[in-house]
């Protein structure tokens, strides 16, 4: 009897190991960027003619509460269609208000189209998902939901975040839908500070919003995408209806936002020469690292400075060498979290393993000293070009996840973004070549012994799986 049990346990263990290998092994392979793509690439294509007369205006939205208010205003502005994509949502005040606003928009006849990551969406097949999917004007799609028969897709995640009204106004950035990103007055936890770009197409000609909408269509039509909710029984239907009513009532009690006026959009945005969408491909497991490759080409073209903001940095030896080479003839700055501010155990612990090597390679690393954290993702090239979106400087964003970034040619826009980066850097300390902080204008924020032990101990293992983080 014991032998049979032992054999069964061993068989189960072997099968589980094989399954884990099937889920992980494909992502240990690095895919090169297609040579034809490399030959066709030109840094000049990201620049306009210098007259700031492009069809799109852009605004920088750094403050959490502003970011939420503008989302509600954008939803209220829509007359025909709303497009929404997000990696994750979390229960909370602002999340309920957001879903309530979308349902109210659908009630007035707006087509509401939603695609969320299939694993980390925060809705599953629960009452909120059913409430949304049951509305005749709402399309709810999950990208790469859990499929135990296709283990190689488990790591393939949708990481994009954008909201588009009538293909004319768009918010795109790094914020998920959660109180942590919008900091309502009732919220008492740590805030994740992030970046959003407000894009307004003035109508003179198609701009980048049309490209993001086409990208959205490709995501919805991909083989890994499927309707979020299947058939439901009568009891589930009744609960979904009650949940929908609850969300509507919360939003209506909150006080509906006012639609944007052209005057408001003019005030919130600055002119641009050109805005270009760059993204990782949907196809391939893993993917060609198109976002990283293009950003590195733009960084190579910089005359003076490259400023990278990323919540954490988990990169392979080749990318570390590229950044070190950039530092030989230009100022390369990395703005990231500190151990005190970071809430992400896997990613930040993997960064800790190579932190001293990065700091001694020529990069100037600023680590944010706060009980809050920075979650923004951006790259500034000299004093004119800015890239903002969902892409982190980590291997998951490089090779695995879907990612979107807007490359914005506009000195006025970059001035807004750089001012915010300067504020964060003033609350940060520079990491010296030995891994210790250099003297600065702020004191290092104390870190509990328990957190130090946890993160540094975990780094021994997490760096081995950096290609998945």
């Amino acid at each position: 009897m014991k032998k049979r049990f032992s054999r069964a346990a061993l068989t189960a263990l072997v099968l589980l190991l094989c399954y884990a290998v099937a889920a992980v092994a494909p992502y240990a392979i690095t895919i090169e960027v297609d040579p034809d793509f490399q030959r066709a690439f030109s840094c000049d294509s990201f620049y306009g003619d210098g007259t700031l007369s492009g069809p799109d205006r852009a605004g920088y939205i750094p403050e959490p509460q502003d970011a939420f208010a503008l989302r509600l205003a954008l939803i209220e502005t829509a007359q025909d269609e709303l497009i929404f994509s997000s990696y994750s949502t979390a229960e909370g005040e602002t999340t309920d208000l957001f879903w309530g606003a979308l349902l109210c928009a659908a009630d007035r006849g707006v087509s509401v189209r939603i695609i969320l990551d299939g694993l980390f969406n925060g809705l599953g097949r629960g009452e909120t998902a059913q409430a949304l999917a049951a509305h005749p004007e709402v399309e709810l799609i999950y990208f790469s939901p859990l499929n135990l028969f296709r283990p190689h897709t488990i790591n393939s995640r949708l990481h994009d975040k954008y909201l588009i009204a009538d293909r004319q106004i768009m918010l795109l950035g790094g914020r998920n839908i959660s109180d942590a990103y919008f900091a309502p007055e009732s919220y008492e936890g740590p805030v994740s500070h992030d970046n959003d770009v407000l894009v307004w197409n003035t109508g003179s000609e198609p701009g980048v919003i049309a490209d993001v909408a086409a990208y959205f269509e490709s995501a919805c039509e991909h083989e890994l995408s499927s309707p979020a909710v299947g058939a439901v029984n009568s009891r589930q239907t009744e609960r979904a209806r009650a949940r929908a009513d609850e969300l509507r009532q919360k939003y209506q009690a909150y006080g509906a936002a006012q639609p944007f006026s052209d005057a408001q959009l003019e005030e919130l945005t600055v002119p641009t020469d050109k805005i270009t969408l760059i993204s990782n491909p949907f196809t391939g497991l893993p993917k060609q690292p198109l976002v990283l490759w293009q950003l590195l080409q733009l960084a190579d073209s910089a005359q003076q400075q490259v400023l990278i903001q990323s919540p954490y940095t988990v990169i392979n030896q080749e990318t570390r060498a590229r950044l070190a080479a950039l530092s030989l003839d230009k100022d390369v700055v990395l703005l990231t979290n500190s151990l005190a501010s970071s809430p992400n155990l896997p990613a930040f612990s993997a960064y800790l393993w190579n932190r001293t090597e990065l700091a001694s390679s020529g990069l100037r690393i600023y680590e944010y000293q706060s009980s809050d954290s920075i979650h923004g993702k951006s790259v500034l090239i000299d004093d004119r070009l800015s890239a903002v979106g969902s892409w982190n400087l980590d291997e998951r964003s490089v090779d695995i996840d879907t990612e979107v970034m807007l490359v914005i040619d506009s000195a006025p826009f970059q001035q807004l973004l750089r001012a915010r980066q300067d504020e964060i850097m003033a609350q940060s300390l520079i990491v010296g070549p030995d891994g210790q902080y250099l003297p600065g204008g702020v004191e290092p924020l104390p870190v509990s012994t328990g957190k130090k032990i946890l993160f540094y101990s975990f780094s021994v293992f997490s760096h081995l799986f950096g290609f998945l983080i």
Side-chain angles (χ1 to χ4, degrees):
M1 188 69 173
K2 288 184 178 180
K3 283 187 176 181
R4 288 181 182 177
F5 178 78
S6 298
R7 287 177 181 174
L10 181 60
T11 300
L13 183 61
V14 170
L15 290 174
L16 182 62
L17 180 61
C18 290
Y19 192 89
V21 170
V24 170
Y27 301 96
I29 302 170
T30 300
I31 305 297
E32 297 295 326
V33 173
D34 184 89
D36 290 338
F37 182 91
Q38 296 187 40
R39 283 190 290 269
F41 180 86
S42 170
C43 291
D44 292 341
S45 67
F46 290 88
Y47 291 89
D49 60 10
T51 63
L52 293 175
S53 58
D56 297 321
R57 292 176 62 88
Y60 174 55
I61 315 300
E63 298 301 332
Q65 294 183 359
D66 291 344
F68 182 66
L70 291 178
R71 278 165 170 79
L72 297 187
L74 193 149
I75 292 170
E76 287 295 327
T77 303
Q79 298 180 5
D80 299 312
E81 179 189 53
L82 282 163
I83 288 173
F84 173 60
S85 178
S86 186
Y87 171 66
S88 72
T89 70
E91 291 184 3
E93 176 186 343
T94 55
T95 305
D96 280 358
L97 291 171
F98 183 80
W99 296 135
L102 289 180
L103 283 169
C104 288
D107 290 343
R108 63 176 190 266
V110 176
S111 173
V112 178
R113 307 178 63 198
I114 303 169
I115 187 166
L116 304 174
D117 179 72
L119 280 186
F120 298 100
N121 55 75
L123 298 180
R125 286 172 170 76
E127 292 175 2
T128 299
Q130 292 172 15
L132 292 165
H135 199 293
E137 294 293 340
V138 176
E139 177 186 22
L140 179 60
I141 291 175
Y142 287 168
F143 180 86
S144 191
L146 181 63
N147 185 339
L148 295 177
F149 296 101
R150 302 182 70 186
H152 62 286
T153 67
I154 289 175
N155 272 297
S156 186
R157 309 274 41 99
L158 178 141
H159 197 240
D160 316 323
K161 297 105 172 174
Y162 51 85
L163 177 65
I164 304 173
D166 296 336
R167 309 200 178 201
Q168 186 180 14
I169 311 169
M170 174 175 72
L171 277 164
L172 184 149
R175 286 184 173 94
N176 297 299
I177 304 300
S178 163
D179 286 352
Y181 293 92
F182 300 124
E185 292 182 3
S186 61
Y187 180 70
E188 298 179 350
V191 177
S192 292
H193 294 284
D194 215 315
N195 303 316
D196 276 316
V197 180
L198 175 65
V199 180
W200 175 36
N201 182 264
T202 57
S204 57
E205 60 183 272
V208 74
I209 297 177
D211 296 331
V212 178
Y215 174 90
F216 171 83
E217 300 289 356
S218 297
C220 293
E221 294 167 5
H222 195 271
E223 64 170 354
L224 291 178
S225 296
S226 60
V229 178
V232 295
N233 57 39
S234 58
R235 186 177 182 183
Q236 289 172 318
T237 299
E238 188 60 33
R239 287 181 175 176
R241 186 179 296 116
R243 177 59 173 159
D245 289 341
E246 177 189 5
L247 292 169
R248 289 187 185 96
Q249 290 167 10
K250 283 186 177 181
Y251 179 61
Q252 291 161 356
Y254 180 77
Q258 295 300 309
F260 284 120
S261 67
D262 285 358
Q264 286 176 305
L265 290 167
E266 186 92 24
E267 183 179 355
L268 287 166
T269 58
V270 295
T272 71
D273 273 308
K274 188 175 184 179
I275 305 180
T276 306
L277 171 68
I278 60 175
S279 62
N280 282 342
F282 290 109
T283 56
L285 300 168
K287 310 174 189 303
Q288 296 181 56
L290 294 187
V291 173
L292 172 68
W293 190 86
Q294 292 176 88
L295 290 176
L296 285 176
Q297 302 311 304
L298 291 171
D300 278 336
S301 72
Q303 298 299 309
Q304 294 180 320
Q305 188 186 68
V306 177
L307 197 166
I308 304 168
Q309 181 187 14
S310 180
Y312 17 77
T313 302
V314 186
I315 51 178
N316 61 27
Q317 185 61 47
E318 180 182 355
T319 305
R320 290 197 294 272
R322 287 290 303 274
L323 292 176
L326 285 173
S327 303
L328 294 176
D329 62 353
K330 57 200 64 155
D331 183 25
V332 181
V333 177
L334 172 63
L335 176 57
T336 190
N337 281 303
S338 63
L339 180 59
S341 66
S342 179
N344 190 317
L345 173 59
F348 199 83
S349 65
Y351 158 73
L352 286 174
W353 187 263
N354 295 298
R355 177 173 174 268
T356 302
E357 179 186 349
L358 278 170
S360 61
S361 68
L363 275 71
R364 279 198 297 142
I365 302 178
Y366 285 77
E367 291 187 351
Y368 185 48
Q369 304 296 314
S370 175
S371 56
D372 293 335
S373 65
I374 51 174
H375 193 254
K377 311 95 164 45
S378 62
V379 180
L380 278 63
I381 309 294
D382 291 331
D383 58 1
R384 180 169 165 178
L385 215 62
S386 310
V388 182
S390 66
W391 182 87
N392 297 309
L393 187 58
D394 62 27
E395 289 300 295
R396 176 162 284 280
S397 284
V398 168
D399 296 310
I400 301 176
D401 291 347
T402 69
E403 302 287 357
V404 290
M405 294 285 279
L406 299 182
V407 181
I408 303 165
D409 177 17
S410 170
F413 177 85
Q414 198 197 88
Q415 289 170 9
L416 299 173
L417 178 54
R418 187 174 290 275
R420 179 61 167 181
Q421 309 294 51
D422 288 345
E423 290 177 6
I424 298 173
M425 290 165 68
Q427 300 175 62
S428 305
L429 289 171
I430 300 176
V431 182
D434 59 356
Q436 301 300 309
Y437 287 132
L438 301 180
V442 297
E443 292 295 321
L445 198 69
V447 182
S448 70
T449 301
K451 187 173 185 179
K452 287 180 182 177
I453 293 173
L454 177 63
F455 274 62
Y456 277 100
S457 298
F458 204 80
S459 71
V460 176
F461 306 98
S462 60
H463 88 279
L464 298 174
F465 298 93
F467 63 94
L468 287 176
I469 297 174

